[in-house]
Amino acid sequence: MMKELIDGTKVQVIPHPVHNVCRCVISCKEAIELKDDELESELRGQGVLKVRRITRMENSKRVNTPTVVLTISGTVIPREVRVGIINCRTRMFYPSPLVCYRCCSYGHTKDKCNNEPACRNCSKTHEHEEEEQCKEDPFCKNCSGNHSPTSRKCPLFQKEEEIIKIKVDSGITFGEARKEYAKKHAENSYANVCGAQQRLDQFRKDQEKDVQIAKLQEENKILKAKLPQTVETEEIEKLKQEIYNLRKIAKDFYLLKEKL
């Protein structure tokens, strides 16, 4: 409802074009013959802003499939959408990673690519006719694997898929999703696993020290009990100093263990 600030500055409040919409998928065989604008008009009353039909190639011709991607006004997808008298259950929409089919890199499309072209099979910059198949062995420029640079088997492709899933499920930006991904996988990194093993080994060593210190203290108590009353004062002082040193070692050890 705000029209101006306290100092009189005029303002206009409008919905964010990206963060106030969400996308979901439905499957409806009965609407397969409907055009996108017809289906969009049918669903507009349910908060649907846009529809995008998923198509496939069949006999060299692009045909509709029952799957439709809906852009919904709001940040929560509905459980179902009515198409005519049919209730269609919705599911989350996870877009595919953005791959450039010009340079075979991630993060942009070929329309905005300024890089050197790369072969979709071997990643080299050689030229060949569009209908001609590359005869080189597959090689991925992104991970150096023995597959094409746009393959779904590529670890980078799978990483981008997981980041997209984190983004969609958590309703956060790509930047935040990448940070969450880094945090999640840092916990299982090789360095952390090795560090945990080292800490475990150190803890076991410290436990052994505890046992040894306890044994020494017990031995000192026994020896002290067996000493005759006429024992020289110097010997008693030596034993007291030894016990004091043992206690100091134990105290320092426990302080160190609390810090770890």
Side-chain angles (χ1 to χ4, degrees):
M1 300 296 291
M2 184 180 289
K3 301 298 181 184
E4 63 180 36
L5 302 180
I6 295 175
D7 61 0
T9 304
K10 301 295 182 183
V11 296
Q12 183 184 10
V13 181
I14 60 173
H16 191 282
V18 175
H19 297 308
N20 284 289
V21 297
C22 56
R23 287 188 286 179
C24 63
V25 180
I26 63 169
S27 183
C28 183
K29 293 180 181 178
E30 290 75 12
I32 200 167
E33 298 299 330
L34 287 177
K35 295 180 180 178
D36 287 1
D37 56 350
E38 292 175 335
L39 187 56
E40 187 177 307
S41 177
E42 172 74 23
L43 301 176
R44 190 168 291 125
Q46 299 175 67
V48 176
L49 302 176
K50 186 179 179 182
V51 303
R52 178 168 66 86
R53 179 85 61 178
I54 302 299
T55 60
R56 69 169 186 270
M57 293 300 294
E58 191 176 284
N59 298 324
S60 302
K61 185 181 178 182
R62 191 162 293 279
V63 297
N64 290 344
T65 69
T67 306
V68 183
V69 180
L70 306 179
T71 301
I72 307 286
S73 175
T75 56
V76 180
I77 65 171
R79 293 185 61 185
E80 57 186 28
V81 171
R82 290 180 64 86
V83 181
I85 61 170
I86 301 166
N87 286 336
C88 300
R89 295 298 298 267
T90 64
R91 62 183 187 273
M92 294 296 290
F93 172 71
Y94 300 106
S96 294
L98 201 60
V99 185
C100 175
Y101 287 101
R102 172 182 165 84
C103 70
C104 299
S105 297
Y106 287 85
H108 63 273
T109 60
K110 64 179 182 179
D111 297 331
K112 298 181 180 180
C113 180
N114 297 317
N115 302 325
E116 289 291 325
C119 176
R120 295 186 199 176
N121 178 61
C122 68
S123 300
K124 294 180 181 178
T125 56
H126 64 80
E127 295 183 2
H128 55 77
E129 296 297 329
E130 197 156 324
E131 64 276 0
E132 183 184 349
Q133 294 292 327
C134 174
K135 296 179 182 178
E136 299 277 347
D137 291 332
F139 177 77
C140 177
K141 60 177 280 189
N142 298 308
C143 72
S144 300
N146 58 349
H147 53 258
S148 71
T150 57
S151 171
R152 299 179 69 89
K153 297 178 183 178
C154 179
L156 186 58
F157 185 94
Q158 293 168 1
K159 172 186 173 182
E160 292 295 316
E161 274 192 320
E162 188 172 345
I163 290 171
I164 289 169
K165 193 172 189 305
I166 293 171
K167 175 193 178 299
V168 173
D169 290 345
S170 305
I172 56 180
T173 65
F174 269 112
E176 291 168 333
R178 290 188 186 282
K179 288 179 183 177
E180 288 299 317
Y181 176 90
K183 235 186 267 185
K184 176 182 176 182
H185 287 271
E187 294 172 1
N188 301 319
S189 69
Y190 177 76
N192 277 3
V193 171
C194 289
Q197 185 61 46
Q198 289 173 356
R199 290 192 294 274
L200 180 60
D201 292 342
Q202 185 62 42
F203 178 72
R204 285 171 178 166
K205 288 179 183 177
D206 292 339
Q207 282 187 316
E208 291 174 6
K209 287 180 184 176
D210 277 347
V211 172
Q212 292 300 323
I213 289 171
K215 283 182 179 178
L216 288 170
Q217 287 175 333
E218 189 63 32
E219 287 175 10
N220 275 327
K221 286 180 183 178
I222 294 170
L223 287 172
K224 188 176 179 181
K226 289 181 178 180
L227 282 174
Q229 295 298 320
T230 57
V231 72
E232 295 291 336
T233 304
E234 185 179 345
E235 294 297 325
I236 293 174
E237 290 301 321
K238 284 182 180 178
L239 285 171
K240 284 182 178 179
Q241 185 62 39
E242 188 176 349
I243 292 169
Y244 172 78
N245 291 338
L246 286 170
R247 286 175 177 169
K248 189 174 183 304
I249 291 170
K251 183 179 178 182
D252 292 342
F253 164 72
Y254 285 119
L255 288 173
L256 178 63
K257 191 156 68 171
E258 284 179 5
K259 289 180 182 179
L260 292 175

